[in-house]
Amino acid sequence: MAKAIANGGAVPRMGRYRWLIVAVLFAATTVNYIDRTMLGLLAPTLGDELGWSENDYGNIVTAFQAAYALGFLLMGWLIDRFGPKIGYGIAISIWTIGHVAHGFASSVASFMMARVILGVGEAGHFPAVVRASSEWFPQKERSYAIGWVNSATTIGVILTAPTIAFFMRVLGFDWRETFIVTGAFGVVLLLLWLWLYSNPRESGKVSAAELAWIEHDPPEKIERLGWGAVVTKREAWAYALGKFLTDPVWFLMLFWLPKYFSTTYDVDLKVVLLPMIVMYLLSDVGSILGGWVSSKLIQTGHSVNFARKATMLGAGCCVLPLLFVSGLDNMWLAVVLIGIALAGHQAFSSTILSIPPDMFPKRAVGSVIGLGGFAGGVGGMVMAKSTGLVLDATGGNYTVIFAACTTVYFLAVLAIHTLSPRLAPVAIESEAAAA
């Protein structure tokens, strides 16, 4: 079989164990987003009980965003240094501690500290997802796998309210007990990850045919890489700039959509869940479809460069319906248009997450994802501040904000194409060779 592969023969796609790894990462993403979203839904209750001002809550949110952005730099390096099994295990442990710490917090400062711990730990999620995907999936299938995992971000958001309702209304826990008990999700996830994850060759559960499929990309010879080798490459900044421009749109939708529906249609999305479910399920379709299209284009003979950039351009076009949302009287039409835009964003997200393994060896992927996550976090903070200023200046009109959201995807593709015209693998000298 190895000889046939070396001679360019067909690679049999036998075995499905790699999709179990996707299932575990899907579950991990769901837990990750439940943990980060719970405070937002409980904020009104906590604010009344603890006497928070709007500024107090803003400081708590900012603490998470800042820690999340900076945490990407640390966790990306950590996952490259120790591998996804140990690195992600550390990340899960940190964010679970941060999540449980909410149940013991009482002051604004202690909630900020809990959010900082949570943010640092959760920053390890996507570096681990992409690094693990680069180990378990060949290039022509990788974006499809990432698309499935990425779709769980919205599943986590959707499941947060029912999770809180189950523990607080059905089981009768208070909010402190709910934070503490739901920490069990992270503990179970950690045990599951350490039990099931290893690289394909060491797992002992992958057939020879599936291993041949996983490993049929050209082999890499890099043994060890450091930050110095990564940050000097324009390809790393191509990815980071794309994340800086587009990640803020997702943060905008997470943090401002409930307010938009409340002020525009007098609908509380924490109570009336159907509009939120429809919008986020549409976004799931986009995440999976974007990953599938990119992978399918490569499998049918198109270059990686064409497949990734064409998919991202198509995804950007799907965000254009946001131009027609502001001022709509029909809420359900707005729900559909916003849902299509969210689908476009998630299709773009699944595809851009696949780019670092296209250009960088596996031992650098976590660091590159970390750099992009940091840039996206900074962009999210800029977007949050800008959105508040624009809404104050326009009396709550979202037209300019939605219009800006439709342009950033095309700017991101332009930036990526300018800095990496072919998405070709970069030449990086390993630290071992340089020593």
Side-chain angles (χ1 to χ4, degrees):
M1 182 179 296
K3 184 176 180 180
I5 296 169
N7 292 332
V11 182
R13 282 179 280 183
M14 299 176 64
R16 308 290 294 176
Y17 190 82
R18 65 194 185 279
W19 292 102
L20 177 61
I21 301 300
V22 168
V24 175
L25 290 170
F26 185 97
T29 307
T30 303
V31 173
N32 183 289
Y33 271 76
I34 288 174
D35 285 359
R36 80 171 60 180
T37 307
M38 274 183 61
L39 180 66
L41 294 185
L42 288 170
T45 300
L46 272 61
D48 291 341
E49 181 176 327
L50 302 175
W52 290 347
S53 67
E54 291 292 338
N55 186 57
D56 289 336
Y57 182 62
N59 289 335
I60 293 169
V61 171
T62 301
F64 172 82
Q65 289 182 307
Y68 188 63
L70 291 170
F72 265 104
L73 299 177
L74 171 64
M75 300 308 294
W77 170 85
L78 188 74
I79 287 162
D80 279 341
R81 178 66 179 83
F82 296 103
K85 181 169 187 151
I86 300 302
Y88 194 38
I90 293 171
I92 295 169
S93 301
I94 292 172
W95 100 52
T96 300
I97 291 170
H99 176 74
V100 171
H102 288 69
F104 297 95
S106 56
S107 65
V108 171
S110 57
F111 271 98
M112 289 176 66
M113 182 56 66
R115 296 305 281 181
V116 166
I117 298 170
L118 181 75
V120 170
E122 291 205 333
H125 177 69
F126 280 108
V129 165
V130 179
R131 172 66 187 274
S133 299
S134 71
E135 290 188 353
W136 277 90
F137 288 86
Q139 187 178 55
K140 64 181 63 176
E141 195 178 46
R142 190 177 300 135
S143 66
Y144 185 44
I146 292 174
W148 273 102
V149 176
N150 193 49
S151 71
T153 59
T154 55
I155 299 298
V157 174
I158 291 171
L159 289 179
T160 303
T163 299
I164 293 172
F166 175 76
F167 283 99
M168 294 185 69
R169 296 181 183 177
V170 177
L171 299 183
F173 293 160
D174 63 21
W175 63 266
R176 292 187 182 278
E177 294 168 331
T178 299
F179 273 116
I180 295 168
V181 173
T182 54
F185 297 162
V187 174
V188 172
L189 174 62
L190 175 62
L191 296 175
L192 192 65
W193 178 255
L194 295 176
W195 174 42
L196 291 176
Y197 191 86
S198 62
N199 68 53
R201 280 198 167 272
E202 295 175 354
S203 71
K205 299 175 182 177
V206 179
S207 68
E210 185 175 15
L211 186 63
W213 170 248
I214 291 169
E215 295 183 343
H216 78 268
D217 288 336
E220 297 174 352
K221 298 181 179 180
I222 298 295
E223 294 297 326
R224 187 181 177 190
L225 293 171
W227 264 104
V230 170
V231 299
T232 59
K233 298 298 180 180
R234 67 176 187 270
E235 289 84 358
W237 292 102
Y239 172 75
L241 189 54
K243 295 290 282 182
F244 174 81
L245 289 167
T246 59
D247 276 10
V249 178
W250 187 249
F251 288 123
L252 174 76
M253 295 302 173
L254 283 179
F255 296 131
W256 293 89
L257 267 187
K259 188 174 185 299
Y260 178 77
F261 274 81
S262 177
T263 57
T264 306
Y265 303 110
D266 195 26
V267 170
D268 186 348
L269 293 182
K270 297 190 295 295
V271 178
V272 183
L273 294 177
L274 187 57
M276 184 177 71
I277 291 172
V278 170
M279 289 185 290
Y280 283 122
L281 286 181
L282 283 171
S283 78
D284 278 349
V285 172
S287 180
I288 297 167
L289 185 61
W292 179 84
V293 168
S294 181
S295 291
K296 192 67 176 179
L297 287 172
I298 296 172
Q299 292 169 18
T300 53
H302 292 87
S303 70
V304 172
N305 187 47
F306 175 83
R308 305 299 193 219
K309 291 174 183 174
T311 303
M312 288 191 290
L313 283 173
C317 290
C318 291
V319 184
L320 292 175
L322 272 181
L323 289 170
F324 309 103
V325 170
S326 186
L328 280 178
D329 293 329
N330 188 317
M331 184 194 74
W332 286 107
L333 180 56
V335 165
V336 171
L337 294 180
I338 292 172
I340 293 171
L342 287 172
H345 172 86
Q346 288 292 73
F348 190 100
S349 179
S350 297
T351 307
I352 196 173
L353 282 170
S354 304
I355 287 178
D358 294 335
M359 301 186 293
F360 288 86
K362 293 181 179 68
R363 290 298 299 269
V365 165
S367 297
V368 177
I369 295 292
L371 181 64
F374 170 74
V378 172
M381 287 186 280
V382 172
M383 172 66 88
K385 186 65 174 177
S386 301
T387 298
L389 292 173
V390 170
L391 291 177
D392 283 343
T394 61
N397 191 309
Y398 284 78
T399 301
V400 173
I401 296 168
F402 287 160
C405 289
T406 64
T407 64
V408 293
Y409 299 90
F410 303 104
L411 292 174
V413 175
L414 178 62
I416 292 169
H417 184 70
T418 300
L419 292 172
S420 185
R422 297 184 297 112
L423 293 184
V426 299
I428 302 180
E429 184 181 9
S430 72
E431 291 177 356

